[in-house]
Amino acid sequence: MCPTRLPCLRQADISPNRAHWYSALQSEIDGMLEPDRSTPVTSFPPDAMVLPTKLVCKLKKLPDGTIDKFKVRLTSRGDMDRKYYDEHETFAPTPQLSTFRLLMALCCLHRLMPYHYAVSQAFLQAPILDEERCYIRFPKGYSHPKGFIGAYMKRALYGHRTSGRLWAETAHQFMADTFPTLCRSTYDECLYIGEIDGQKLFVLIYVLT
């Protein structure tokens, strides 16, 4: 039986699906190292704050139980960040379960077709404030083909304390710029309601693990 989660890279090494896990890992690293997201490094400045990282490996399956994809997420150890963040700086809106249920009920009532769109590496779409930028070190056991040992982050990364807030702000700005006719719900900040070309539209933004 193929486990749905692997606790560390060491487990991936002994897995019969090792090639698939490492392919997913390299894809995750390559996406993070895009020029507008981070700058790869081969050494760290002496006085730099460097956060360690870890991997979250999860097997995605289809409803019939067959394998959909091998997913690897690189996360920073944000709990080791020496900077203090208050509750306001780290808060990020999360959709309520009741909102999702209501949305499905409205789709049935008005005969609307629900669609799902996945944003690849969502948090990496959100820019980091200059004062929050830091270095990360690649997880133990991973060797980059070009000898990089880490990166200087320009975008938010899973695990960092303010990533959820930054992603929420980026997503809201995108919705405001792209769909100006949609209004943000006062009941749930993750829900947008309105009409486009005479058609009703409901958009619910959420982050999957």
Side-chain angles (χ1 to χ4, degrees):
M1 180 179 292
C2 185
T4 57
R5 287 182 180 272
L6 295 180
C8 61
L9 194 58
R10 185 182 305 171
Q11 294 297 318
D13 274 329
I14 61 176
S15 168
N17 296 295
R18 181 181 186 276
H20 294 288
W21 287 118
Y22 269 83
S23 176
L25 169 59
Q26 194 57 52
S27 178
E28 173 77 2
I29 297 292
D30 289 344
M32 188 204 71
L33 292 181
E34 290 185 7
D36 63 330
R37 296 179 175 180
S38 67
T39 301
V41 297
T42 55
S43 63
F44 300 109
D47 59 344
M49 181 182 69
V50 183
L51 294 179
T53 58
K54 66 176 185 177
L55 298 174
V56 178
C57 305
K58 186 176 182 180
L59 186 64
K60 296 285 188 175
K61 291 187 176 182
L62 298 172
D64 61 2
T66 57
I67 296 176
D68 181 21
K69 66 176 179 178
F70 294 81
K71 183 176 180 179
V72 176
R73 182 71 70 207
L74 181 72
T75 66
S76 69
R77 287 291 306 275
D79 58 300
M80 300 182 68
D81 191 343
R82 296 192 298 268
K83 181 179 178 181
Y84 172 77
Y85 295 96
D86 62 28
E87 182 180 352
H88 174 73
E89 292 174 314
T90 59
F91 171 78
T94 303
Q96 303 176 49
L97 181 57
S98 58
T99 302
F100 177 78
R101 289 172 173 169
L102 176 61
L103 188 59
M104 293 299 100
L106 288 173
C107 286
C108 294
L109 179 63
H110 296 286
R111 296 184 179 182
L112 301 175
M113 177 64 69
Y115 291 93
H116 174 263
Y117 178 75
V119 179
S120 178
Q121 297 182 311
F123 280 9
L124 284 168
Q125 311 294 330
I128 300 179
L129 301 176
D130 291 342
E131 60 270 22
E132 294 184 12
R133 293 186 177 185
C134 64
Y135 289 87
I136 62 163
R137 185 188 301 275
F138 291 148
K140 185 177 180 180
Y142 171 74
S143 297
H144 192 277
K146 295 184 178 180
F148 302 134
I149 63 172
Y152 179 67
M153 298 304 302
K154 304 175 185 176
R155 299 290 182 98
L157 187 65
Y158 290 84
H160 196 63
R161 296 186 187 184
T162 59
S163 292
R165 175 181 59 82
L166 293 172
W167 155 248
E169 292 175 352
T170 300
H172 174 64
Q173 190 60 51
F174 171 81
M175 293 298 297
D177 294 341
T178 309
F179 305 106
T181 58
L182 298 186
C183 297
R184 196 177 200 177
S185 170
T186 55
Y187 169 75
D188 191 323
E189 293 184 24
C190 297
L191 177 64
Y192 295 81
I193 306 171
E195 291 189 1
I196 294 182
D197 296 331
Q199 298 293 321
K200 293 181 181 178
L201 184 65
F202 301 87
V203 179
L204 184 65
I205 299 178
Y206 61 98
V207 177
L208 287 175
T209 58

